[in-house]
Amino acid sequence: MLPIVLIATCLVAAASAASTFTPARPPALPLAVKSPYLNVWLNAGSDGGNGGYIAGKWPVFWSNQVNGWAGIIRVDGTSYTWLGDPGPQAVTQTSYEYTSTRSTFTMDVAGKVQMNITFLSPVTPNDLKRQSLPFSYLNVEVVSSDGQNHDIELYSDISAEWVSGDRTQAAAWNYTSSGGLEIHKVFKQNQQIFSEYNDQAEWGNFYYATDSGDGVTYQIGQDTVVRGSFTSGGKLSNQVDDNYRVISNNWPVFGFAKGLGSVGTTATNTLFTIGLCQQEALQFLGAQGTVSLPSLWTSYFSDDIAALDFFHKDFGTASGLATDLDNKVNSDAVGAAGQDYANIVSLSVRQAFGAWQLVGTEDKTYLFQKEISSNGNTQTVDVIFPAMPILLYTNPDLLKLMLDPLFENQESGHYPNNYSIHDLGAHYPNATGHPDGNDEAMPLEECGNMIIMALAYAQRSGNSDYLNLHYPILNQWSSYLVEEALYPFNQISTDDFAGSLANQTNLALKGIIGIEAMSQISNLTGHADDASKYHQTAVDYITQWQGLAIVNGTDGGPAHTTLSYGDAASHGLLYNLYANSLLGFNLVPSSVYDTQSAFYPTIEMKYGVPLDTRHSYTKSDWEMFVAAVASTDTRNMFIRDLAKWINETPTSRAFTDLYETDTGAYPSSLQFVARPVQGGTFALLALPVSART
Ligand SMILES: *[C@@H]1O[C@H](CO)[C@@H](O)[C@H](O)[C@H]1NC(C)=O
Ligand SMILES: *[C@@H]1O[C@H](CO)[C@@H](O)[C@H](O)[C@H]1NC(C)=O
Ligand SMILES: *[C@@H]1O[C@H](CO)[C@@H](O)[C@H](O)[C@H]1NC(C)=O
Ligand SMILES: *[C@@H]1O[C@H](CO)[C@@H](O)[C@H](O)[C@H]1NC(C)=O
Ligand SMILES: *[C@@H]1O[C@H](CO)[C@@H](O)[C@H](O)[C@H]1NC(C)=O
Ligand SMILES: *[C@@H]1O[C@H](CO)[C@@H](O)[C@H](O)[C@H]1NC(C)=O
Ligand SMILES: CC(=O)N[C@H]1CO[C@H](CO)[C@@H](O)[C@@H]1O
């Protein structure tokens, strides 16, 4: 067998040489990335990926198990693979391009036919109905490229691997034709609501659909049988193998074939929709006790099929909205800091939104977040905080929908500690809180985060009623900051993986800016005494903090802030400085900005600046926070290094935010992937224009 494998690898490599990657070749290519449970990628980096060629490599769920998704095309009777690894020789990929919402591949089929294959996962921050829909598009355009007409048939299928992370589970399925759509439905027989296995959902119905029409056939059966009927005859049997069975038992697949007829220089178009419908999305401990919350789309649509039907037929509008967002993100980013910056932010959009899910009803909507990959917590405050910039940039109301359940849970008396909760549940989709108070304690971090985010939302939306509504608990958290912020006791920050430490300079700064934020909140809500009291404390603390935190370079080295007070040899990314600019404060003097801007270039590594002196790795989200408030040259250094990393990293899974600054690889013990914190790459775009360098 070995020689055959080697030959196959060489063939793929030879075919591979031709593709371009625009604007970059990311570690993983987003395919269907729409929610925590519809989150499928192509691994591309050298460490487990194949360089970004979609024909010949199976797509994977973010947690790395295959979600079988196949595509075959027959041209004049010869079959070629264009998606996944179903067997036939691969088409030649000539280009890959990503935007904020799309991944588009261009394929050359034997010099005869060109295919344009677009994976579109819509992101509509200002249109909650569309944003709530748990589906993604695959659109395939085919045209003759040699001037001749060719007889063409197109095929695609999904496997039952999408319906459970456990391949020993039994699936069932059904086929329907409805409203001009051909629809495969596949689901786990033993529905386990609110449960996961390998991070895949263990409940709900998956759908794979395409338009009805002449030449469309379908078949459900063993992978080799269904694909074999297509490659031998160019069509399927319209039969359903109703021997419902275990996912890995003679691998059932759900296939469509479409005869395109004789195709010349007029392109033909075939659209597929993939998605997961869950009537009930998660359970939440809020004002009404523990309730199970529906997916928001159920407010707009009577059932799965109605939602699927709307989504599929909405492709024209959805494409237009997607293009608007793609263009806006690109031009804003290029205008703010150039093409490298656009490459970074546009790769972050689907990933950030893909960790989020709109639930509840039109009257009471929430946006819930899964802390993908690091531990699966629900609504982690210090994971919302780094993602906040993309929410402020796209629609600040979404930040409110994200904070609402945190306020509701704690204001209803479900959390016993004086400081802010860390998360709303140990594992998504359970937002059942921590009534015992035994969550992962990050007291200073989360109090600062909640106060800063509440004010950021109110400033952008003009909604100071929101601050009034939550004044008592914000005030309580601020009292905690007054007690604890200047000399933080030995505790973890959001970078818990880096270890705990006393007197963390950056953590203290967050607390002090949080106190100033409470002064502003007090001002906006008519609490004049609190406003002046908190302001005086913040000013007093920031003065003391400078004395404690800054090494003035008396030993000849460059001045900088330390990682912790008194440790002159230490340093770290001072990313909490960002909040001072985001909120428009003059609390922290410009000398601190200047000092840090001059310092970072002196410790630059190949792919960026280390997070702190304890390790050689860094965090891309915090680098972009730091860059947003740095001098132009230093900002551009951070952006250039991260853009280079995207192109060169050996990591092969969805855009990690934690990587080694010298090799670009994962730290040996940790693989963070697909995390929403990449919304933090929008830090520069979330700043008021007047606050940008
Ligand atoms: C396919 O993509 C190529 C390259 O991006 C483009 O020039 C061409 O117009 C596209 N074809 C169709 C039918 O959209
Ligand atoms: C398939 O759908 C039909 C019609 O809705 C229904 O009667 C049947 O029970 C379904 N079968 C399964 C296995 O869900
Ligand atoms: C959520 O809680 C339910 C019990 O209410 C449990 O069965 C389920 O496994 C939990 N889900 C996860 C992902 O931990
Ligand atoms: C909450 O704060 C009050 C006042 O500072 C303090 O007396 C009390 O012990 C704190 N409660 C807890 C649970 O830490
Ligand atoms: C924190 O820093 C202050 C000022 O340098 C020092 O007095 C105190 O001992 C430090 N705390 C800890 C726990 O190291
Ligand atoms: C809020 O700040 C403004 C401007 O400094 C000041 O004029 C106003 O009196 C303050 N209001 C309160 C309630 O503190
Ligand atoms: C230890 C020390 O000398 N710290 C000083 C460094 O510079 C800042 C800003 O000028 C001062 O506030 C510190 O006292």
Side-chain angles (χ1 to χ4, degrees), residues 12-203:
V12 171
S16 298
S19 187
T20 58
F21 291 88
T22 309
R25 204 288 333 270
L29 284 37
L31 300 180
V33 180
K34 180 68 188 177
S35 79
Y37 300 127
L38 182 64
N39 210 297
V40 171
W41 302 74
L42 179 73
N43 290 353
S46 56
D47 180 9
N50 72 346
Y53 293 83
I54 197 164
K57 174 107 181 140
W58 289 119
V60 292
F61 194 71
W62 71 257
S63 52
N64 225 15
Q65 61 271 20
V66 168
N67 274 200
W69 201 358
I72 306 172
I73 187 169
R74 261 171 55 115
V75 176
D76 303 325
T78 304
S79 294
Y80 306 84
T81 293
W82 54 269
L83 169 60
D85 194 14
Q89 64 193 293
V91 297
T92 302
Q93 182 175 319
T94 55
S95 73
Y96 167 75
E97 180 176 8
Y98 71 80
T99 62
S100 291
T101 62
R102 293 178 171 92
S103 286
T104 303
F105 299 82
T106 309
M107 306 295 195
D108 169 52
V109 191
K112 298 174 177 171
V113 167
Q114 178 177 298
M115 303 178 73
N116 288 11
I117 301 166
T118 303
F119 295 84
L120 168 60
S121 294
V123 174
T124 56
N126 293 287
D127 180 339
L128 298 194
K129 175 179 169 180
R130 286 191 167 83
Q131 185 60 38
S132 74
L133 286 164
F135 302 105
S136 189
Y137 298 108
L138 164 58
N139 189 45
V140 184
E141 289 170 340
V142 176
V143 70
S144 168
S145 56
D146 64 359
Q148 308 294 307
N149 280 25
H150 298 284
D151 287 324
I152 301 183
E153 295 97 16
L154 192 69
Y155 171 89
S156 182
D157 71 46
I158 61 166
S159 72
E161 288 158 297
W162 294 68
V163 308
S164 168
D166 178 357
R167 305 303 180 237
T168 69
Q169 291 292 314
W173 46 81
N174 214 334
Y175 190 83
T176 28
S177 240
S178 163
L181 299 188
E182 302 298 311
I183 303 168
H184 286 294
K185 171 183 175 183
V186 51
F187 52 94
K188 186 169 174 269
Q189 280 188 27
N190 171 25
Q191 291 276 301
Q192 290 174 286
I193 194 164
F194 308 137
S195 295
E196 295 183 351
Y197 193 99
N198 283 343
D199 284 284
Q200 288 188 235
E202 298 296 297
W203 82 107

Side-chain angles (χ1 to χ4, degrees), residues 418-491:
N418 282 345
Y419 50 81
S420 163
I421 204 167
H422 167 269
D423 63 78
L424 278 183
H427 215 290
Y428 202 84
N430 293 329
T432 43
H434 294 280
D436 60 5
N438 289 331
D439 50 333
E440 183 183 9
M442 288 185 193
L444 192 42
E445 184 83 63
E446 311 303 22
C447 286
N449 286 339
M450 288 302 293
I451 298 164
I452 290 166
M453 290 194 286
L455 179 60
Y457 159 67
Q459 285 182 343
R460 295 299 188 284
S461 64
N463 181 1
S464 34
D465 288 349
Y466 189 72
L467 302 176
N468 257 319
L469 189 63
H470 301 301
Y471 197 83
I473 200 164
L474 290 167
N475 201 25
Q476 174 189 321
W477 293 334
S478 300
S479 302
Y480 185 86
L481 292 181
V482 170
E483 293 289 316
E484 301 290 341
L486 186 57
Y487 295 104
F489 63 84
N490 188 342
Q491 63 193 288

Side-chain angles (χ1 to χ4, degrees), residues 211-217 257-260:
D211 295 283
S212 305
D214 287 350
V216 176
T217 52
K258 185 175 175 186
L260 303 180

Side-chain angles (χ1 to χ4, degrees), residues 487 502-503 548 565:
Y487 295 104
N503 281 333
L548 293 160
Y565 299 163

Side-chain angles (χ1 to χ4, degrees), residues 533-586:
K533 179 189 75 177
Y534 282 122
H535 179 64
Q536 278 162 26
T537 302
V539 168
D540 173 31
Y541 283 10
I542 203 68
T543 306
Q544 294 190 57
W545 176 87
Q546 289 174 77
L548 293 160
I550 300 171
V551 173
N552 287 349
T554 43
D555 62 351
H560 62 272
T561 57
T562 58
L563 174 62
S564 61
Y565 299 163
D567 183 359
S570 71
H571 56 73
L573 295 177
L574 192 71
Y575 52 82
N576 285 325
L577 185 56
Y578 175 74
N580 185 65
S581 300
L582 180 75
L583 299 175
F585 294 165
N586 294 313

Side-chain angles (χ1 to χ4, degrees), residues 217-263:
T217 52
Y218 66 88
Q219 190 170 343
I220 300 175
Q222 185 174 357
D223 53 353
T224 50
V225 171
V226 177
R227 292 167 190 160
S229 14
F230 176 76
T231 53
S232 62
K235 58 183 168 50
L236 300 176
S237 66
N238 291 341
Q239 284 174 344
V240 171
D241 165 355
D242 58 9
N243 172 23
Y244 307 131
R245 57 185 182 267
V246 162
I247 293 167
S248 60
N249 176 7
N250 292 330
W251 303 96
V253 300
F254 308 86
F256 290 117
K258 185 175 175 186
L260 303 180
S262 177
V263 177

